Amino acid sequence: MEIITVHTTQNIDIDYEVGGLGERILAYLIDIGIFIALAIIGGILSTNVFSAKGSAAYFIIIGLMLLFYDLVCESFFNGQSAGKVVMKIRVISLDGTRPKFSQFLLRWLFRLIDFSITTYLGGVVSIIMTDKGQRIGDLVAGTVLIRTRPRTQMNNLVFRSTDDGYQPVFTQASQLKDEDISLIH
């Protein structure tokens, strides 16, 4: 399990699990599945409802949506497409912040190299070879794909059993609320 540590401005280090190659592939397949379903629906409608020009326009629109899908989704939906939401992964900057549009644009432009020109080999090899699981577009844009589900559940952190004879050292701790304890932890 690869980890990326982000140092925040409050001097707190946050560890994120890096999204794996399998998760990326499944997210991509989910996204492609959406467009295959739209193409099938369009094919059915074009034979029954649309004229030849309407059918061609429909498939041009679907093609344009497919072309710009990742750029639009990642830009407007916090670094996630529908497949990434399902797989619980998202794109962040290497400093832990939300990527800028220019970073999303660079990732999107380098999809041509990652996937089309190298027939997916460039992206897969770079994900496997880099410490942070970055494809070529991620390396150029300064981004990384992380898992969004937490490694540890909150109830494992806050509530711990104690011995029956335990005497607190700091009696003021009994005045803390659960939210305060969670924040401190």
Side-chain angles (χ1 to χ4, degrees):
M1 169 176 54
E2 296 168 335
I3 303 279
I4 179 174
T5 302
V6 174
H7 187 75
T8 66
T9 56
Q10 292 82 18
N11 290 327
I12 297 172
D13 290 335
I14 299 175
D15 292 337
Y16 292 107
E17 289 182 49
V18 175
L21 180 61
E23 292 166 319
R24 285 177 181 252
I25 291 172
L26 287 174
Y28 177 74
L29 290 175
I30 290 168
D31 290 336
I32 292 299
I34 292 169
F35 284 97
I36 289 173
L38 287 174
I40 290 170
I41 291 169
I44 293 169
L45 289 176
S46 67
T47 58
N48 297 328
V49 178
F50 296 144
S51 66
K53 289 181 182 179
S55 178
Y58 178 81
F59 285 107
I60 289 172
I61 291 169
I62 293 294
L64 288 173
M65 287 172 53
L66 180 60
L67 180 64
F68 293 105
Y69 175 75
D70 286 309
L71 178 64
V72 171
C73 284
E74 289 177 358
S75 297
F76 291 107
F77 301 117
N78 198 23
Q80 293 181 301
S81 63
K84 288 182 179 100
V85 169
V86 170
M87 294 308 300
K88 295 181 175 35
I89 54 178
R90 74 180 175 106
V91 178
I92 63 168
S93 291
L94 287 174
D95 62 0
T97 60
R98 185 181 191 282
K100 298 177 183 113
F101 180 76
S102 59
Q103 290 175 295
F104 288 128
L105 183 62
L106 277 172
R107 285 185 90 244
W108 179 73
L109 288 172
F110 273 83
R111 290 177 67 81
L112 183 65
I113 295 170
D114 284 330
F115 306 127
S116 298
I117 293 174
T118 62
T119 59
Y120 294 89
L121 194 59
V124 170
V125 168
S126 101
I127 289 168
I128 292 170
M129 299 299 289
T130 57
D131 292 339
K132 298 172 185 157
Q134 296 169 291
R135 63 179 178 87
I136 298 167
D138 288 322
L139 290 169
V140 172
T143 58
V144 66
L145 200 78
I146 60 160
R147 292 182 177 145
T148 58
R149 63 178 165 256
R151 290 185 301 178
T152 306
Q153 299 299 321
M154 187 57 91
N155 59 0
N156 294 337
L157 296 175
V158 177
F159 303 106
R160 294 195 177 148
S161 301
T162 58
D163 296 332
D164 291 334
Y166 175 75
Q167 290 292 334
V169 177
F170 300 100
T171 56
Q172 300 90 345
S174 63
Q175 297 172 354
L176 293 173
K177 298 176 189 164
D178 285 339
E179 296 85 21
D180 299 330
I181 295 171
S182 177
L183 177 65
I184 291 169
H185 202 312

